[in-house]
Amino acid sequence: MTRAIRVFLVDDHRLFRAGVRAELGPHVTIVGDAGDVDTAIQGIRQTKPDVVLLDVHMPGGGGRAVIQAVHETLPDVRFLALSVSDAAEDVIAVIRAGARGYVTKTISPDDLVSAIGRVHQGDAVFSPRLAGFVLDAFAGDLPAGVSSEDPELDQLTTREKEVLRHIARGYTYKEVASRLFISVKTVETHVSAVLRKLQLSNRHELTAWAAGRDLL
């Protein structure tokens, strides 16, 4: 392993981030860390790491929201999910969003270092049981109750999803424009498109819709 690989950590537990830093420090270069979705998005855009090691469940939309917000503008950044969850729906959700791998927090430090290196090289990395979920998803044979698609969400562009999440969380159009570095007019255009595609009437319905999909 080479310390030339630049890694960004995303997890809402500060002590866990500190522990991962201590374990990975001798092997990779940690360029930053964050404990929530918005801070993670800003930090990743500023530091442009090679690999983002991120938790799946966090306040503000979780790891999937981070991937969706960053993937379009920084396509070279690789994402490796690191979670306590081994649920099929969590694995499928982050892979669909663009993650290159998914390992659980029971992984050993040496294996985690190896997984980061492999993801950086472009490989897909999964714990053996989780790899089965992914294979089942591509084969159309998911566990009961797990869907491989969200047709309503999938019809939105990445930028529309990003605007949706900010509006649903209560930001004004001006605040959204400032945070996403776009004009207020562009925000208005995206919101109109989101409401039309989702057949919603106002931001209150939009907020309820987003909450039902863990996008807040």
Side-chain angles (χ1 to χ4, degrees):
M1 180 62 63
T2 169
R3 280 182 49 82
I5 299 178
R6 304 170 71 253
V7 176
F8 194 100
L9 306 178
V10 184
D11 194 288
D12 58 335
H13 294 96
R14 188 171 59 182
L15 283 178
F16 181 80
R17 297 200 306 273
V20 173
R21 270 183 174 273
E23 293 289 351
L24 297 184
H27 308 284
V28 301
T29 298
I30 306 296
V31 297
D33 65 68
D36 60 71
V37 171
D38 287 344
T39 306
I41 293 170
Q42 293 175 15
I44 294 167
R45 285 174 172 167
Q46 290 173 355
T47 60
K48 297 179 176 58
D50 298 309
V51 177
V52 176
L53 193 62
L54 81 167
D55 197 2
V56 174
H57 295 289
M58 295 182 297
R64 183 174 63 176
V66 175
I67 299 171
Q68 290 172 333
V70 173
H71 201 58
E72 185 176 74
T73 53
L74 296 173
D76 293 334
V77 175
R78 311 281 191 185
F79 292 89
L80 174 62
L82 175 63
S83 175
V84 295
S85 172
D86 61 356
E89 58 267 30
D90 289 333
V91 179
I92 300 304
V94 295
I95 297 306
R96 288 182 64 241
R100 294 291 301 178
Y102 191 122
V103 294
T104 63
K105 289 181 176 178
T106 58
I107 191 170
S108 71
D110 288 344
D111 286 344
L112 181 57
V113 170
S114 175
I116 291 171
R118 291 169 59 193
V119 166
H120 178 244
Q121 293 170 358
D123 293 344
V125 179
F126 301 94
S127 300
R129 166 179 158 79
L130 307 186
F133 294 152
V134 178
L135 291 174
D136 288 345
F138 280 103
D141 186 20
L142 287 171
V146 179
S147 172
S148 65
E149 298 181 352
D150 185 338
E152 288 187 293
L153 185 61
D154 289 346
Q155 66 183 317
L156 304 182
T157 66
T158 299
R159 181 62 90 182
E160 287 170 349
K161 293 174 185 174
E162 202 168 21
V163 171
L164 158 67
R165 186 169 60 82
H166 282 79
I167 292 296
R169 297 183 66 189
Y171 290 107
T172 65
Y173 285 13
K174 185 176 181 180
E175 290 171 333
V176 176
S178 175
R179 295 175 70 88
L180 299 182
F181 305 103
I182 57 180
S183 69
V184 173
K185 182 65 176 176
T186 300
V187 174
E188 293 174 349
T189 300
H190 286 312
V191 172
S192 295
V194 170
L195 293 176
R196 174 174 48 78
K197 290 180 179 180
L198 299 181
Q199 298 183 0
L200 302 174
S201 300
N202 53 57
R203 67 186 302 163
H204 299 295
E205 292 183 359
L206 186 149
T207 299
W209 187 93
R213 283 167 168 75
D214 193 28
L215 297 176
L216 297 183

